Amino acid sequence: MPSSPVTILDAQRVASWKTPYSTRRVPREAFATLLTGAATPRVGDLVLVRVDRLGQHKHLELAGGRRARLFVGDEIVLAYGHRYAPDQFEAEVPDDVGPCHMVAAGGVAARVLTKHDRMGAPTRITPLGLLGDSTGRALNLSQFALARQILPLHQPFTVAVVGTSMNAGKTETATHIIRGLKRAGYRVGAAKVTGTGAGGDAWSMRDAGAFQVLDFGDVGLPSTYLASPQRVEEAMCTLISQLTAEGAQAIVFEVADGVFQRETAALVKSSTFKRAVDAVVFAAGDAMGSVGGVAWLREHRLPVVAAGGVLTASPLASREAAQQIGLPLMTLDDLASPAIAQTLTGAPMPVAAPAAAAELMLAAE
């Protein structure tokens, strides 16, 4: 970044800022300076902005999960990042620090290119400057990320959930698998490997029983849209390795968006993904999507073992899909049952799981 005016920040001013989920790994004391000169933002750069006009996003999801109401004139901290959301916004990091938009409640700044017709106008913001450290160097999420790691030589049984689109039911599918494995006696770690920074999915996975939930933000990415295939693979490997090191007996991770989305397709087709996963569950919104998605996974020689998602709300759609794909179509109740452990792994549940065994006996009665 070119040389720029540097303002030393007052601690009281810093304490007043709303800081979002996407910046959760950045300690507030790191905000030491404000860089107000011309600059070209990078993905992950932290920026102080003023809210100019409320639009689609009227709340900011704070690091602790609370949805904080926004007001015109608020000073808030965001991270520059791209956004891919067919049902919401397509947005990219601008090439200057001029007025732009808040494009995700988890705290992402970008300039909107297109939006879904159902969406309101994006919330408009004016950057007041990039946030810097005590030396005047711009702060970036990557400085606070987990160290990059390779896949462990021995990792726990790992389940990936992929789907047809952003609203196919992937998160609910992953959440209920976590619930079922937890009830079966597993110590479950969870992750969201791709997507845009927001905490709702992570909180849901934790509520289901995951002892630890990580996402791409933990490796320094506010989103994975337009990230290189290598970067996304590295993110997945790091998250799996970290969960393994923390003692996970099973790992469940979600890959956001549909299998035709650029980053998702590249990841799922990679040899690294094939090495990382032991089972894949596919989520779809309708029977045709389920049939097409499962066929695509099989074409790429992935171990797809079940299907689910929004279509399971319809028994008729589920029967139609099951007849074509030859796999179990699993409702949320099916996924949350301790029996899911054997369905996914083909192995009995852990020995030290008497409570889970009792649940299975009751379910069989």
Side-chain angles (χ1 to χ4, degrees):
M1 190 181 71
S3 60
S4 59
V6 177
T7 301
I8 304 298
L9 289 168
D10 175 78
Q12 188 171 358
R13 182 184 182 189
V14 172
S16 71
W17 296 340
K18 296 182 175 83
T19 57
Y21 177 81
S22 64
T23 67
R24 64 194 181 280
R25 295 184 66 89
V26 184
R28 195 175 288 262
E29 55 268 24
F31 306 138
T33 56
L34 188 66
L35 316 179
T36 55
T40 300
R42 302 168 300 161
V43 169
D45 277 349
L46 299 175
V47 58
L48 178 67
V49 308
R50 182 186 66 235
V51 178
D52 291 337
R53 180 186 296 176
L54 294 176
Q56 179 64 33
H57 292 105
K58 297 177 175 61
H59 294 82
L60 184 71
E61 182 183 26
L62 302 183
R66 186 175 74 83
R67 294 175 71 246
R69 184 176 173 183
L70 293 176
F71 294 88
V72 171
D74 274 354
E75 289 186 349
I76 62 176
V77 177
L78 301 177
Y80 278 109
H82 307 301
R83 176 106 205 252
Y84 173 96
D87 288 357
Q88 292 194 23
F89 297 115
E90 175 195 12
E92 295 184 7
V93 174
D95 57 9
D96 58 46
V97 287
C100 56
H101 308 102
M102 178 177 140
V103 299
V108 179
R111 191 163 289 156
V112 169
L113 303 178
T114 65
K115 72 178 185 68
H116 194 283
D117 285 347
R118 291 200 308 266
M119 291 294 104
T123 291
R124 292 175 56 181
I125 56 175
T126 293
L128 302 177
L130 297 181
L131 288 162
D133 62 17
S134 58
T135 69
R137 183 181 66 159
L139 294 170
N140 190 281
L141 294 179
S142 61
Q143 297 167 234
F144 306 91
L146 293 169
R148 294 184 183 182
Q149 303 170 51
I150 62 172
L151 286 175
L153 184 61
H154 302 289
Q155 71 181 62
F157 189 87
T158 300
V159 182
V161 177
V162 299
T164 54
S165 65
M166 69 177 291
N167 289 318
K170 297 183 302 300
T171 301
E172 282 297 286
T173 297
T175 295
H176 283 74
I177 292 173
I178 292 165
R179 180 67 176 164
L181 291 174
K182 167 73 173 178
R183 293 172 66 192
Y186 286 84
R187 178 174 164 84
V188 187
K192 186 165 183 179
V193 171
T194 64
T196 301
D201 295 349
W203 303 127
S204 180
M205 292 175 179
R206 187 175 286 278
D207 290 344
F211 77 92
Q212 173 66 289
V213 182
L214 302 172
D215 70 19
F216 45 86
D218 292 296
V219 294
L221 292 169
S223 74
T224 53
Y225 182 42
L226 300 182
S228 70
Q230 179 184 359
R231 186 72 180 93
V232 177
E233 288 180 32
E234 288 174 348
M236 178 189 69
C237 294
T238 297
L239 298 178
I240 290 174
S241 183
Q242 183 66 29
L243 291 171
T244 301
E246 293 184 28
Q249 294 176 316
I251 294 173
V252 179
F253 72 83
E254 176 191 348
V255 182
D257 303 309
V259 291
F260 291 156
Q261 195 272 342
R262 193 192 78 159
E263 288 75 35
T264 296
L267 176 66
V268 174
K269 290 189 291 187
S270 71
S271 59
T272 305
F273 187 87
K274 291 181 177 68
R275 291 199 308 272
V277 302
D278 298 296
V280 178
V281 178
F282 189 77
D286 56 33
M288 181 64 77
S290 183
V291 172
V294 169
W296 188 89
L297 292 170
R298 285 171 168 161
E299 179 184 341
H300 290 90
R301 299 183 179 181
L302 289 164
V304 55
V305 298
V310 173
L311 90 160
T312 61
S314 167
L316 180 57
S318 296
R319 289 202 304 271
E320 290 176 349
Q323 290 169 2
Q324 297 298 320
I325 65 177
L327 290 175
L329 262 291
M330 310 200 77
T331 67
L332 296 182
D333 286 343
D334 294 332
L335 297 170
S337 165
I340 191 64
Q342 191 157 357
T343 300
L344 295 175
T345 69
M349 58 192 169
V351 174
E359 283 196 59
L360 280 173
M361 290 176 64
L362 286 171
E365 292 179 354

